Amino acid sequence: MNILNKYSLLELISYALYSGYLLSLQWIGTFFFRLKVIFWNIQIGKSSKVTGKFLFFKYPGSKISIGDNFTSISHSSRAMATSLFSPTCIKTLSDSSEILIGNGVGLNGTSITARSKSIKIGDHVMIAANVTIMDSDFHVVFPPQGRLTNPGYEYDANIEIGENVWIGTRCTILKGVSIGKNSVIAAGSIVSKSIPANVVAGGIPAKVIRALETTKKGSNKK
């Protein structure tokens, strides 16, 4: 079938121009991302692709490492299903903190902050738009008069996200949480307790909704 019989010429031209625009955004974003990686002395693997802004802050002596085939989208023109609130942002705030990101990980306007502990993200994790991950409350809860003056470092806790996890849009992952491999976190959830492997979890706070069963071929049963 002739493509012009299926689509109008104007539609094809518009699509081609917009595709070129997206490629230029990716080229520019990746270029500046690589400059920032050098500036902040960050370990990074091969074949990163970044669209839109990407912010780093690395405290001296801390560690940030990113594996192969990393992708980040921080521009709403490239977002699939929702607008992005802010750039992807990765921060370490003390010399004991570390952020370790595996191979094939995708972030979308994600904020990751390790104040004093470790945040580990396994291979092939997908993180949808506007997700926040942080290892700290940043203030003590009690007594209330001490919230502005007591940072409460002793309450910070590690976070670990297993391989192949899918985290839905606008989720918040709080300190001390582990999420088992292959699990799915529903959109809008707040994960304040650990989630086992191979489940769908969601809600405020997030709880297991159902198990994920896999066939011999590896596809999900519903």
Side-chain angles (χ1 to χ4, degrees):
M1 179 185 294
N2 189 325
I3 193 170
L4 291 177
N5 292 332
K6 187 175 182 181
Y7 306 108
S8 75
L9 180 61
L10 180 58
E11 286 177 330
L12 293 172
I13 292 172
S14 299
Y15 180 81
L17 289 174
Y18 193 73
S19 297
Y21 169 65
L22 293 180
L23 285 174
S24 69
L25 285 177
Q26 184 181 95
W27 188 91
I28 294 168
T30 302
F31 175 78
F32 283 103
F33 171 77
R34 290 175 179 169
L35 289 181
K36 291 174 183 179
V37 162
I38 296 170
F39 179 82
W40 289 106
N41 189 28
I42 290 166
Q43 300 176 24
I44 189 166
K46 300 176 292 184
S47 303
S48 297
K49 294 180 181 178
V50 173
T51 302
K53 293 182 180 180
F54 197 109
L55 303 179
F56 282 116
F57 179 83
K58 181 174 176 284
Y59 194 91
S62 66
K63 182 178 181 181
I64 299 175
S65 69
I66 299 173
D68 297 339
N69 301 310
F70 172 75
T71 61
S72 169
I73 296 172
S74 293
H75 197 291
S76 291
S77 294
R78 182 66 175 78
M80 290 295 120
T82 187
S83 293
L84 297 168
F85 297 154
S86 61
T88 298
C89 182
I90 294 179
K91 295 182 180 180
T92 55
L93 302 182
S94 67
D95 58 8
S96 63
S97 58
E98 61 177 9
I99 297 173
L100 310 177
I101 298 175
N103 299 319
V105 172
L107 308 180
N108 293 266
T110 308
S111 173
I112 304 173
T113 303
R115 186 173 73 161
S116 65
K117 298 296 183 179
S118 172
I119 297 177
K120 297 180 180 179
I121 299 176
D123 294 346
H124 309 297
V125 169
M126 300 190 305
I127 301 182
N130 308 314
V131 169
T132 299
I133 303 170
M134 51 191 175
D135 71 342
S136 177
D137 297 327
F138 298 99
H139 306 278
V140 294
V141 175
F142 192 85
Q145 61 270 24
R147 290 173 187 163
L148 290 177
T149 57
N150 187 346
Y153 281 98
E154 65 271 25
Y155 300 110
D156 294 356
N158 298 332
I159 294 173
E160 185 165 0
I161 300 172
E163 63 185 24
N164 301 315
V165 166
W166 178 12
I167 299 175
T169 184
R170 303 188 189 185
C171 287
T172 300
I173 313 300
L174 297 177
K175 66 178 187 178
V177 161
S178 66
I179 301 175
K181 65 180 182 179
N182 306 322
S183 287
V184 178
I185 308 300
S189 300
I190 297 179
V191 184
S192 58
K193 301 291 183 182
S194 293
I195 302 296
N198 300 304
V199 300
V200 176
I204 302 175
K207 298 179 181 179
V208 174
I209 298 170
R210 66 178 177 90
L212 285 175
E213 298 180 12
T214 57
T215 66
K216 291 181 180 179
K217 294 182 179 180
S219 61
N220 292 333
K221 287 183 179 180
K222 295 185 179 179

